Amino acid sequence: MPKNIKSEAFEKFLVDEQITCFDKRDIGDEDGTVVYRSYIQTAIGDMPIFVLLDATIYSVIRVLVGGGVVTDDNYNAIVDFINRENSVYKNFKYYVEKDDDSVYLDCIYISSNTAFEPQLLYVLMNQIVKYMPGVTAELKQVMNIDVLPNPFAAHEHHHAHDDAAMESEKRS
C-alpha cells in the first residue's frame, strides 16, 4: 500500500492547530485512503463533511448535503438549483447521486503528495462551511423538507428482535 503523505501532513496540521472536530478512518485500500469526517451545522440539520486523502494527486472535500432527499417530485427543482450554483462557484460543485437519491457537494484539491498544503485544504473547507448556511433556506425549499433526514439511516443495522420489541412497546 502506498504511503499516504497527505494524510500525515493533514494530521499534523490538525494537531498543531488544535482542531479536534474530525473522526478519522483508514480505509485500507490500494491508494492508502484515509477519511476524516465532521459536520456542518445548518438550520435544517447537520451535514456530514468528509475529507478524503490518498496517495493519488486528488484530495476530496465531500459534503452530504441531503441524504436520500431526491424524489421524482423535487428532482427538477434540485437540478435547477445545482446548475445555477455550479455556474457561479468555481471551487466546488454539487451533484445528484442516483444510487442513493442524495445531493452531494465536492471540492477537489489537486497536488502531488510533496506539494500538498493542508492549510489550503482547510481554507477550501472553511469556504464551504461558511457558504452552506446561506443556502439552507433555498435547499429546504427545493428539497421540499423541513429538516434533513438522518444521513446514515440507510446504513443502520437493525435486528428482528429489536423491531419486534419496538412494536410491542408501541402497542402497550
Side-chain angles (χ1 to χ4, degrees):
M1 180 178 350
K3 186 171 177 138
N4 189 334
I5 296 168
K6 293 186 295 187
S7 177
E8 291 174 1
F10 189 64
E11 190 78 29
K12 181 182 182 326
F13 170 78
L14 292 176
V15 170
D16 290 350
E17 297 297 318
Q18 299 179 353
I19 300 167
T20 59
C21 60
F22 287 96
D23 294 325
K24 176 185 170 185
R25 192 174 98 203
D26 288 297
I27 301 301
D29 63 3
E30 65 277 359
D31 290 324
T33 305
V34 177
V35 177
Y36 296 85
R37 182 184 73 187
S38 189
Y39 294 89
I40 300 173
Q41 296 178 336
T42 74
I44 57 174
D46 293 348
M47 296 178 183
I49 183 168
F50 303 92
V51 177
L52 298 94
L53 302 175
D54 60 27
T56 69
I57 63 170
Y58 305 103
S59 301
V60 179
I61 301 166
R62 176 165 295 151
V63 179
L64 176 53
V65 176
V69 299
V70 181
T71 65
D72 289 340
D73 293 333
N74 66 13
Y75 178 79
N76 287 335
I78 290 172
V79 169
D80 287 346
F81 168 84
I82 286 173
N83 286 339
R84 190 177 57 256
E85 293 297 296
N86 285 352
S87 72
V88 174
Y89 293 95
K90 294 179 186 177
N91 60 334
F92 50 80
K93 299 298 176 194
Y94 286 93
Y95 62 97
V96 170
E97 180 58 60
K98 291 273 194 174
D99 291 345
D100 63 1
D101 296 320
S102 297
V103 177
Y104 292 90
L105 180 145
D106 276 8
C107 174
I108 310 299
Y109 168 40
I110 300 174
S111 72
S112 67
N113 286 330
T114 55
F116 176 74
E117 296 179 41
Q119 298 86 348
L120 178 55
L121 181 79
Y122 197 73
V123 165
L124 293 168
M125 189 174 14
N126 270 331
Q127 289 176 343
I128 295 168
V129 169
K130 289 177 179 162
Y131 159 83
M132 289 311 297
V135 294
T136 53
E138 191 171 4
L139 284 168
K140 180 178 175 178
Q141 182 181 350
V142 300
M143 292 190 286
N144 196 23
I145 60 167
D146 290 322
V147 295
L148 291 169
N150 175 353
F152 304 110
H155 304 288
E156 287 181 345
H157 183 73
H158 293 284
H159 295 281
H161 66 275
D162 292 341
D163 294 339
M166 287 175 65
E167 283 301 314
S168 174
E169 284 180 26
K170 284 181 189 174
R171 286 188 293 252
S172 27

